[in-house]
């Protein structure tokens, strides 16, 4: 039995390349070049950790409802571009000669480098020449690391927003709590981005939530009591944390999302 990390490139049903990363212990991650998007992340026991809607549309240029969409150069509708920007809708390429990263120890890790360059069409709607790089790493013990880098190609200053729009798979939203956000200020998107302060020791869910927690700690934990599973999200360089669940009413209004699926994602 092969105990080394492995990287395989195949095609999906639409002929788009996807990359399968396998750890020596059997964990896996699947990354599509459509959006540079992690579509699957499984434990060594084959348990799926990411949610994907049963109604997700996998044909470009539609964004895929699930996995880890890349939001760039805009988050949400805070700008003139389409919702969450265009990076999640574009076809990326494998970056065969990426600039070096400080973290060079790749022993036992499976990883892939992806690249999205600004196209002529992109420059018409967002006139800033850039390159967006993503390294997806699956460690020996099955942890998933994502490292993004934005390069300003011509040196003219520009600002942008960036986010990993991660859909975690959970047992039941009512059985989940989030720790690491206590006492933080947040913008409540359900109240015209009113700035409020988190009062609870942990965040639990009884209705729709759409919040941007500001200047959060570098580690946030999602506890799923029923599955006896904890997601620990560690970050560098991304100051804020977004918490979103559409709940029942809004779920029914989202065409590529099942009516009851809000119960199983965060």
């Amino acid at each position: 039995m092969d105990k080394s990390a492995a990287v395989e490139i195949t095609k999906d049903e639409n002929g788009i390349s996807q990359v399968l990363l396998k750890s020596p212990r059997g964990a896996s991650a699947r990354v599509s070049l459509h959006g540079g998007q992690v579509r699957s992340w499984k434990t060594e026991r084959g348990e799926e950790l990411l949610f994907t809607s049963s109604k997700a549309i996998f044909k470009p240029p539609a964004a895929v409802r699930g996995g880890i969409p890349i939001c760039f150069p805009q988050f949400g509708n805070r700008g003139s571009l389409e919702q969450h920007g265009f990076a999640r809708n574009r076809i990326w390429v494998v970056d065969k000669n990426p600039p070096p990263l400080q973290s060079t120890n790749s022993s036992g890790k499976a990883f892939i480098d992806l690249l999205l360059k600004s196209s002529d069409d992109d420059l018409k709607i967002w006139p800033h020449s850039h390159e967006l790089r993503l390294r997806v790493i699956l460690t020996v013990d099955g942890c998933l690391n994502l490292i993004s880098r934005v390069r300003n190609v011509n040196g003219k200053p520009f600002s942008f927003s960036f986010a990993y729009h991660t859909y975690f798979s959970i047992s039941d939203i009512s059985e989940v709590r989030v720790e690491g956000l206590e006492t933080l200020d947040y913008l409540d998107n359900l109240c015209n981005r009113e700035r409020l302060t988190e009062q609870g020791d942990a965040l639990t869910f009884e209705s729709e939530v759409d919040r941007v927690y500001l200047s959060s700690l570098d580690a946030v934990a999602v506890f799923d009591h029923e599955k006896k599973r904890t997601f620990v999200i560690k970050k560098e360089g991304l100051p804020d944390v977004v918490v979103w669940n559409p709940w029942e009413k809004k779920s029914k209004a989202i065409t590529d999302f099942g009516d009851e699926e809000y119960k199983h994602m965060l």
Side-chain angles (χ1 to χ4, degrees):
M1 184 176 175
D2 184 8
K3 293 293 185 182
S4 62
V7 179
E8 300 173 11
I9 299 180
T10 59
K11 300 276 189 182
D12 68 12
E13 62 273 17
N14 292 308
I16 298 169
S17 294
Q18 56 183 358
V19 182
L20 182 64
L21 306 178
K22 292 182 178 178
S23 80
R25 297 175 185 170
S28 67
R30 182 165 45 85
V31 192
S32 174
L33 267 60
H34 173 198
Q37 185 166 332
V38 177
R39 295 270 185 88
S40 172
W41 173 30
K42 292 182 179 179
T43 68
E44 55 197 59
R45 295 181 299 278
E47 297 170 340
E48 179 60 65
L49 300 174
L50 298 177
F51 166 87
T52 299
S53 173
S54 62
K55 293 188 174 182
I57 301 165
F58 295 100
K59 200 161 189 176
V64 175
R65 177 77 62 185
I68 309 179
I70 302 291
C71 302
F72 175 89
Q74 175 182 301
F75 182 75
N77 58 5
R78 308 295 293 179
S80 60
L81 300 173
E82 61 196 278
Q83 175 89 351
H84 293 321
F86 49 72
R88 63 183 185 151
N89 301 332
R90 299 293 187 262
I91 302 299
W92 296 46
V93 297
V94 174
D95 192 356
K96 295 179 180 176
N97 190 27
L101 279 167
Q102 287 182 335
S103 176
T104 55
N105 180 17
S106 58
S107 176
K109 298 176 183 177
F111 67 92
I112 191 73
D113 287 285
L114 302 182
L115 171 64
L116 181 68
K117 292 184 177 182
S118 47
S119 68
D120 290 342
D121 287 341
D122 293 338
L123 292 171
K124 288 175 185 175
I125 58 173
W126 198 66
H128 307 292
S129 190
H130 65 277
E131 294 176 353
L132 174 57
R133 284 183 164 83
L134 173 68
R135 176 172 288 187
V136 182
I137 305 166
L138 188 67
T139 67
V140 175
D141 54 3
C143 292
L144 186 67
N145 297 341
L146 278 70
I147 303 172
S148 296
R149 294 178 285 175
V150 178
R151 177 175 174 245
N152 185 335
V153 172
N154 61 17
K156 295 179 181 177
F158 62 82
S159 59
F160 62 90
S161 296
F162 180 93
Y164 297 116
H165 194 313
T166 310
Y167 289 81
F168 289 110
S169 176
I170 56 173
S171 57
D172 189 311
I173 189 65
S174 63
E175 296 290 329
V176 166
R177 77 179 196 274
V178 180
E179 293 188 3
L181 303 174
E182 48 273 13
T183 74
L184 291 181
D185 283 3
Y186 64 88
L187 304 178
D188 193 335
N189 288 323
L190 303 180
C191 298
N192 295 315
R193 292 175 64 83
E194 183 180 356
R195 186 165 179 149
L196 303 168
T197 301
E198 181 57 55
Q199 303 293 337
D201 293 333
L203 182 62
T204 56
F205 301 88
E206 298 174 347
S207 60
E208 181 183 356
V209 173
D210 189 353
R211 300 174 181 175
V212 181
Y213 285 85
L214 305 171
S215 302
S216 67
L217 299 172
D218 287 339
V220 176
V222 178
F223 295 90
D224 188 333
H225 302 290
E226 192 171 312
K227 285 190 175 179
K228 296 181 172 60
R229 174 188 293 159
T230 301
F231 293 104
V232 178
I233 304 126
K234 297 180 180 179
K235 60 188 179 66
E236 292 180 21
L238 295 170
D240 305 331
V241 168
V242 178
V243 181
W244 177 68
N245 185 288
W247 218 253
E248 188 172 8
K249 184 178 179 181
K250 189 163 286 184
S251 294
K252 292 178 179 177
I254 302 174
T255 56
D256 59 346
F257 194 78
D259 290 355
E260 299 289 317
E261 288 184 330
Y262 72 92
K263 296 177 181 177
H264 305 299
M265 58 73 63
L266 178 63

